[in-house]
Structures are given as structure tokens and as C-alpha cells.
Amino acid sequence: MILLLIYILSFLLVAVVSGNNLPVCCGPIISSGIVGKKTGIAMAILGYAAGYLIEGQLLRTGLLALMPVHSAYMVALSLAVTLVIFIIAHLLRVPHSLSVTFTAVILGLGYGFGSAINGAFVTDVLVFWIISALFAGVATIAIMRLAFKTLPKVRVWVAVSRMKLLLIIASFFSAFVLGANTIGFVFASTSGIINPLYGALIAIVAIISGSVLLSSGELKRMGNEILPLRYLNALVSQAMSVAIVQVATMFSIPASNTQTFTASLYGAGLSYKTRLLRKRPAITIIAAWISTALVSFALGFLLIKLF
């Protein structure tokens, strides 16, 4: 019975995550009109699936460092709590981070259970989250200002054509690294507990279902409410997010595409003289990250004590 529950929870969580994070991957090319919504969603699905199947196993080491007591009961409980929080985030139309939520839940369960968690790795994860967000913002400002100086030397239509092509490539790889890191992190928790072939099939079906059915609200917020997307700021933000999350994946660190992409977007906004930023969505998203991390840890800690 508990194995069936894990299959169901894994499917639902990956579906919600796929829809919730789709604007981080293909929102820029959809919002800027480079591709249509259907094409952008199809690209995200292919990227998610390829990243999960090729690099998803790289998160196994990090998962075991966070969850040394790797039982079916612990996995089911962590998936259930994370799913509830993600559903709330989806209803609020806030692009949210599974990495933050799932990690906080796992840590809450581990500390409540009294397991020997790798404190050094936990510190590395927290430091990486903070530094990666700051780096994404600062580096994006520098790259954008450099681009402002060099692009006038290139013919307009040539520059636009190149940026469109590069943005399509960056969007695909953004979905790829999210599939590897985020979706891979979910199924790393089920490794050794569920049938790997069934797990892969569930992941693919969940990716398709969530991307098609659950992405509309988040696309609106990321595409229109934070920063009016232009080809240049979208490209730089996407590329920065891809690079940071891929580095995290290679070191088995769960990383947030949403966090790095949002930080890059605000860095891009600060690079313009007119400061095109809208502050309220940033406050909402940051408050959601912090509050849900604390709530996730607390729920994990309390639930393991109660049950």
C-alpha cells in the first residue's frame, strides 16, 4: 500500500512542479512571442524528460546526505508534505522552488527522527542557494551592461535573429537542467524503493500532464508581472540560470531554477537606466520561499514526532 502511495505522490508532485516551473524554462520565448504557447510547452516537456533521463541520477548522492534514513515511510511522508505546499503555491500562482521545499521537509523529518544528517553538506546547500542568487543578479547586471556597449556595433536584424535562436536553445537547456536537478531530486528519493522502470514512466506522464494542464497562471506572473521581457534580458537570465543549476547538478546539490532565474531577471531590470522592475512580485516570491521553507521544516519535524 505504501509503495502505491509513493507512486501516486511522485506523479502528482512532478506534475505540479512541471507546470509551476514551466515559465522559468520557456516563459521568456512564449512571452516575447518567439514561439507559440504550444511550441514552448512542447520544448519544456522534451527538456524536462531529457534532463531527467540523462542526468537525474546525479542527485542521488545529495539526497542520501540529506536523508540518511531512507525508508518508504520517510519518502512517502516527505513527498506528501511537499505536494501540499506546492499545491498551495500553484493556487497562489507563485513560481515556487521544489528544491527549497523538499530539502526543508527532508531536513525537518531527519532532525525529528534523530538521524545523523550530513551537516557539512546541508551548510554547502544553504550557502550555494544564497551565493547563487546573489551571483545571478550581479553577473546579469555586468553581462547586460557589456551587451549594451557591444550590440550597437551589430546590425539590428542580425542581432535579433541571433538572440532569438540563442534564446530558444537556452530555454530548452533550462528545461533540461530542471529535469535533471529538480525532477531528478524527487525520484532520487524513491531510488531503491520503487521499480525504476515504473518510476521513469510515471515521471514522463507526469511531466506531460503538468506542463499542459498546470502552467497558465505561472506563465502570466513570470512573463508579465515581474519584468517586461525583451530578447536580451530573457536570454541573459535564461543562460545564467542554466549555468548555475548545471553546476549544482554536477555536485549533487538540489538547486532552484526559479530562484536563479528570478534573481537574474531582477539583475537585468537593474541594468536598465529606466529601472523596469515591478517590486511587488519579488516581495511575494521571496516571502513565499522563506515562509514555505520554515513551514516545510516545521511540518516535517512535527509529523515525524506525531507519527
Side-chain angles (χ1 to χ4, degrees), residues 85-254:
I85 293 171
F86 246 86
I87 289 174
I88 294 172
H90 176 73
L91 293 175
L92 294 175
R93 296 190 301 113
V94 176
H96 197 60
S97 169
L98 178 139
S99 303
V100 174
T101 303
F102 200 32
T103 300
V105 170
I106 290 172
L107 288 176
L109 290 171
Y111 281 112
F113 189 77
S115 56
I117 296 171
N118 188 332
F121 183 77
V122 173
T123 301
D124 289 342
V125 171
L126 294 176
V127 170
F128 185 89
W129 287 350
I130 296 170
I131 291 178
S132 64
L134 295 174
F135 177 80
V138 173
T140 300
I141 293 173
I143 294 171
M144 288 285 291
R145 289 179 177 173
L146 178 63
F148 292 150
K149 295 179 180 179
T150 57
L151 281 178
K153 302 176 183 179
V154 182
R155 281 185 286 183
V156 174
W157 294 113
V158 173
V160 170
S161 298
R162 290 176 180 174
M163 282 191 285
K164 285 183 177 180
L165 176 60
L166 289 173
L167 189 51
I168 290 172
I169 295 171
S171 296
F172 173 81
F173 279 104
S174 181
F176 180 94
V177 297
L178 194 144
N181 194 290
T182 302
I183 298 174
F185 190 38
V186 172
F187 281 94
S189 70
T190 68
S191 179
I193 295 175
I194 66 173
N195 184 296
L197 177 59
Y198 294 164
L201 291 174
I202 287 172
I204 300 303
V205 175
I207 285 169
I208 296 171
S209 302
S211 298
V212 172
L213 300 175
L214 303 175
S215 60
S216 296
E218 288 80 1
L219 277 170
K220 179 182 178 183
R221 180 176 291 272
M222 186 64 75
N224 298 315
E225 296 181 17
I226 292 178
L227 174 70
L229 289 177
R230 300 173 179 175
Y231 294 150
L232 181 58
N233 60 38
L235 173 60
V236 175
S237 298
Q238 282 285 56
M240 186 61 60
S241 178
V242 168
I244 291 173
V245 177
Q246 181 59 33
V247 169
T249 302
M250 299 305 295
F251 287 95
S252 199
I253 294 175

Side-chain angles (χ1 to χ4, degrees), residues 81 85 88 104-105 289-302:
V81 175
I85 293 171
I88 294 172
V105 170
W289 286 337
I290 295 173
S291 60
T292 51
L294 295 175
V295 169
S296 300
F297 180 88
L299 283 176
F301 185 87
L302 291 174

